[in-house]
Amino acid sequence: MTKRTTVLLSLICFVCSAPHAQTKPPGFSVSGTAGITYEGYGLSRSPSGWTGYTARRPWNQVRFNFTPSFKFGKDFSLPFNFNFAAVPTNFAGPYAGIKNQNFGQFITNPMNSFGLNPKYKWAELQLGTQYLKYSDLSTGDIGIFGAGVDLRPKTWRFKFFTGISQEGVNYFAGPPTVTGAYKRKNWMVQVGNELEGKYLFAVNLAKGKDVPASASPPPTTIKPQEGVVISVLGNVYVDKIYFKGEAAQSTFTKDVTTPTTTLLRGLKPFIEPHTSSLTDFAGQLSVGRKSTNFDIGLMLKYIGAGFQTTGYPYLQPDRFDYTLNTRFNAWKNKAGGYKMNVVASAGRRVNNLKNTALKANQFIANLNWYTQFDDHWSLNINYNNFGFQSASGTNPYGIKNVSNDLGVNPTFTWTGTKIMHLVSLSYNYSKYDERDVMTGLTTSNNTHTALLTYVPTYLTKDLSPDFSVLYFYNDVPLAKVKLFTVSSALNTNVAKKKIRLRGQLQYTLGKLNAFSNNNNLIASCNIDYKITKKLSWNTFLTTNYYKYGNEITPVGANYLESMCRTGFQYSFDTKR
């Protein structure tokens, strides 16, 4: 057991035992949930020996959850968040050589979550798995297992956290192939001053560093990396007007095994530049006005081509966005409310190249428009356009990954003497274009989806059925996929409403290109038994039969997949 684990357990034991020093703590209460669930999985394939479809789950799995929150008076609270499974199934599972996890591997496994956040007045201790967002350009998109604090005396703010965002995973040639990963250590700190609703000023620092010796054999396609970012954050609120801004600088090393250099700028003493290091800047600024029925604002965001932070590993670099954002309510009804709500933004995205064939200029927009015409009709329209593209030149060709999505959803409701009816039609069109930067070829992915749903609600019976029909068409180079699905479900209560039953049956007819049809039948059942007001027994059963067309060899291949999930859930909320 490592020193870090020993220290963490000591802190947990101290925090858990300290409140019990008093025999009857004043104002003590505890609330939360606790449960255990068993999952059984089965798969049979035909013909015998066919391996075209592999198991998606372990044959047996047991999951636990324990999320109590203890309160001791008005000043001290102790929330837990423990969610874990007995069998590892993520990338750090059996195929990576961790058939029997040690304690450190178990508590840091990303599929598990162990969090403990004792808080006394303005001081909070953060232990275990935490998802912490410090700012938009520093850190906030990854889960880290470790320890830290969040201190807020009066208007001052001090945050610090350190831990591991991923364990080392050994490369495995397979089958199946495991790419592997390096163990990554993270540090983050924030110092600032804040008066809620008035202003915020803070300085953030976030760092991530891979451990080269943490994987053996190491990954063949991934190099150990290191990165650090420093940002300055400032927000000001004056009545209904707001100003928000952040400026950041990062130094990111693509391969820490490359030689160090004095020719590149770095953020010393936090990181030593290597020949594979890049230093760049990022910033964002927004200003606007908010009110009850109308918002409007302007946002500018610049991400340098070499800017990268381990706190946002998928942040797209080399872009400058400027968007106008608005929200408004309109068209009052007789009751004084509003029957129309619109949330929209529009702007452009460019890169930092000028007067070259790789100059990018992309329109970006988002729209959600809801209108309630009367007591029966409503309509919701949504549109999204996002992505990035630059003009195509010679090899390497310009980048292009642009998505356009349009959705229209009319709904009609009416009420009879015994039944209230709802009919909803939803149509969505999606178009995604992507260019291969090496060949210059552009592929287009076009998808049409239409869904018709009918939901009758009985006013005199405890019965809730629903029916739906789905048509799906997807067109990509060399593949055209069509799906037609009919589905029906029924909900009801029995045993004096102590048992809630839901059954669903779904059939799908699929077709790939000119091959023969695929057939898929799924049946499922939910049984929720409320044993007491606080204890419930929940069971879910499902079976999935799939028969392929003649696109699969051997012809007539099929599989039957089934799962049973059952468990007890206890909710508690007591005061003494």
Side-chain angles (χ1 to χ4, degrees):
M1 187 178 298
T2 63
K3 292 182 178 179
R4 181 183 293 105
T5 303
T6 304
V7 173
L8 179 59
L9 288 176
S10 300
L11 287 171
I12 293 175
C13 293
F14 170 76
V15 173
C16 292
S17 60
H20 297 285
Q22 301 180 29
T23 56
K24 292 184 178 181
F28 172 79
S29 66
V30 57
S31 61
T33 60
I36 180 174
T37 303
Y38 167 77
E39 295 178 3
Y41 178 78
L43 175 65
S44 61
R45 294 167 292 199
S46 180
S48 178
W50 175 60
T51 58
Y53 187 84
T54 58
R56 298 187 298 168
R57 301 170 180 269
W59 304 114
N60 297 280
Q61 179 67 280
V62 179
R63 301 181 185 274
F64 303 87
N65 71 84
F66 182 55
T67 59
S69 179
F70 299 91
K71 290 187 68 68
F72 302 85
K74 64 178 182 178
D75 293 330
F76 184 74
S77 62
L78 182 61
F80 287 76
N81 180 24
F82 288 178
N83 293 275
F84 56 96
V87 180
T89 59
N90 73 315
F91 66 86
Y95 295 127
I98 308 179
K99 296 182 179 179
N100 298 308
Q101 299 181 97
N102 60 38
F103 183 74
Q105 292 168 335
F106 174 70
I107 63 175
T108 59
N109 191 317
M111 74 172 297
N112 299 327
S113 177
F114 294 90
L116 180 64
N117 295 65
K119 184 177 182 180
Y120 180 74
K121 292 186 177 180
W122 47 262
E124 179 182 0
L125 181 62
Q126 299 166 332
L127 302 172
T129 303
Q130 307 286 333
Y131 291 83
L132 305 174
K133 180 178 180 179
Y134 282 10
S135 70
D136 292 335
L137 298 178
S138 61
T139 187
D141 198 29
I142 56 174
I144 301 175
F145 182 89
V149 295
D150 185 345
L151 308 178
R152 306 190 179 197
K154 296 184 178 179
T155 62
W156 291 100
R157 303 290 181 261
F158 177 78
K159 303 177 183 179
F160 173 78
F161 196 84
T162 182
I164 301 171
S165 59
Q166 67 182 27
E167 280 284 3
V169 180
N170 299 336
Y171 167 77
F172 185 68
T177 300
V178 176
T179 303
Y182 291 100
K183 180 178 182 179
R184 175 163 293 182
K185 298 181 178 180
N186 295 79
W187 300 264
M188 60 186 71
V189 63
Q190 181 184 89
V191 179
N193 194 283
E194 179 184 20
L195 184 60
E196 291 190 15
K198 297 296 183 180
Y199 66 85
L200 166 64
F201 177 80
V203 177
N204 306 301
L205 185 145
K207 180 180 179 179
K209 184 176 182 179
D210 292 343
V211 180
S214 59
S216 179
T220 59
T221 59
I222 300 174
K223 301 298 181 182
Q225 302 175 340
E226 179 181 11
V228 65
V229 60
I230 295 179
S231 77
V232 179
L233 175 70
N235 300 335
V236 177
Y237 308 91
V238 181
D239 294 329
K240 298 179 180 180
I241 307 296
Y242 65 86
F243 302 88
K244 298 181 180 180
E246 183 177 8
Q249 178 186 343
S250 75
T251 295
F252 196 89
T253 301
K254 299 290 185 179
D255 183 359
V256 297
T257 63
T258 56
T260 59
T261 178
T262 58
L263 301 178
L264 299 176
R265 292 178 299 171
L267 293 175
K268 292 183 178 181
F270 306 110
I271 187 173
E272 185 76 18
H274 293 246
T275 54
S276 62
S277 300
L278 290 174
T279 295
D280 214 328
F281 302 90
Q284 64 180 28
L285 176 67
S286 59
V287 58
R289 181 183 185 276
K290 285 183 175 288
S291 62
T292 304
N293 295 312
F294 179 72
D295 297 345
I296 189 168
L298 177 66
M299 188 186 74
L300 308 174
K301 177 179 287 187
Y302 169 77
I303 308 294
F307 184 85
Q308 191 169 348
T309 168
T310 56
Y312 292 96
Y314 303 108
L315 182 68
Q316 181 175 327
D318 190 17
R319 59 188 172 98
F320 176 54
D321 298 351
Y322 51 96
T323 57
L324 181 66
N325 310 291
T326 186
R327 178 196 65 86
F328 62 86
N329 299 321
W331 194 6
K332 282 188 176 182
N333 57 25
K334 294 181 180 180
Y338 288 92
K339 298 172 22 175
M340 181 184 294
N341 177 264
V342 178
V343 178
S345 67
R348 301 205 71 84
R349 171 172 292 172
V350 300
N351 61 5
N352 61 6
L353 298 176
K354 297 181 179 179
N355 302 320
T356 73
L358 298 181
K359 175 67 177 178
N361 196 337
Q362 173 66 36
F363 172 71
I364 53 177
N366 175 273
L367 171 68
N368 189 285
W369 187 338
Y370 174 79
T371 304
Q372 180 74 46
F373 294 100
D374 53 32
D375 292 338
H376 303 289
W377 284 101
S378 66
L379 176 65
N380 192 79
I381 299 174
N382 60 79
Y383 171 76
N384 290 280
N385 174 283
F386 59 92
F388 195 77
Q389 68 174 325
S390 59
S392 180
T394 57
N395 192 344
Y397 296 88
I399 297 172
K400 184 176 185 179
N401 47 26
V402 179
S403 176
N404 287 272
D405 300 285
L406 174 66
V408 181
N409 176 213
T411 300
F412 181 69
T413 60
W414 74 97
T415 304
T417 56
K418 296 183 179 180
I419 304 177
M420 182 173 66
H421 308 268
L422 181 147
V423 177
S424 176
L425 175 63
S426 176
Y427 169 75
N428 288 274
Y429 171 70
S430 176
K431 179 180 174 61
Y432 177 73
D433 296 320
E434 183 175 20
R435 179 187 294 130
D436 188 318
V437 297
M438 303 307 296
T439 65
L441 298 177
T442 300
T443 58
S444 182
N445 189 329
N446 298 281
T447 303
H448 300 264
T449 306
L451 175 65
L452 178 64
T453 303
Y454 170 60
V455 181
T457 302
Y458 289 86
L459 304 177
T460 58
K461 299 179 181 179
D462 189 4
L463 206 63
S464 302
D466 62 77
F467 310 90
S468 65
V469 178
L470 170 71
Y471 174 77
F472 173 87
Y473 176 75
N474 179 242
D475 184 0
V476 298
L478 304 179
K480 292 180 173 60
V481 179
K482 296 180 181 178
L483 298 175
F484 179 76
T485 301
V486 292
S487 177
S488 179
L490 180 65
N491 290 273
T492 188
N493 289 315
V494 298
K496 297 182 180 181
K497 297 186 177 182
K498 287 187 176 182
I499 300 178
R500 182 70 176 176
L501 302 177
R502 175 179 172 82
Q504 184 173 12
L505 192 64
Q506 175 181 298
Y507 172 73
T508 300
L509 183 68
K511 188 174 181 62
L512 172 64
N513 294 338
F515 295 106
S516 59
N517 294 331
N518 300 312
N519 293 272
N520 183 212
L521 179 65
I522 300 176
S524 63
C525 177
N526 290 78
I527 306 173
D528 298 330
Y529 177 31
K530 195 171 184 178
I531 302 174
T532 66
K533 290 183 179 181
K534 297 182 178 182
L535 179 64
S536 62
W537 179 16
N538 305 314
T539 301
F540 173 72
L541 306 170
T542 183
T543 183
N544 176 19
Y545 173 75
Y546 196 100
K547 183 177 181 181
Y548 291 92
N550 57 5
E551 77 273 19
I552 293 293
T553 302
V555 176
N558 62 84
Y559 66 84
L560 179 65
E561 189 178 38
S562 59
M563 188 186 73
C564 170
R565 181 173 64 241
T566 184
F568 295 91
Q569 193 73 16
Y570 182 74
S571 300
F572 43 88
D573 187 359
T574 179
K575 295 181 179 181
R576 63 177 184 178

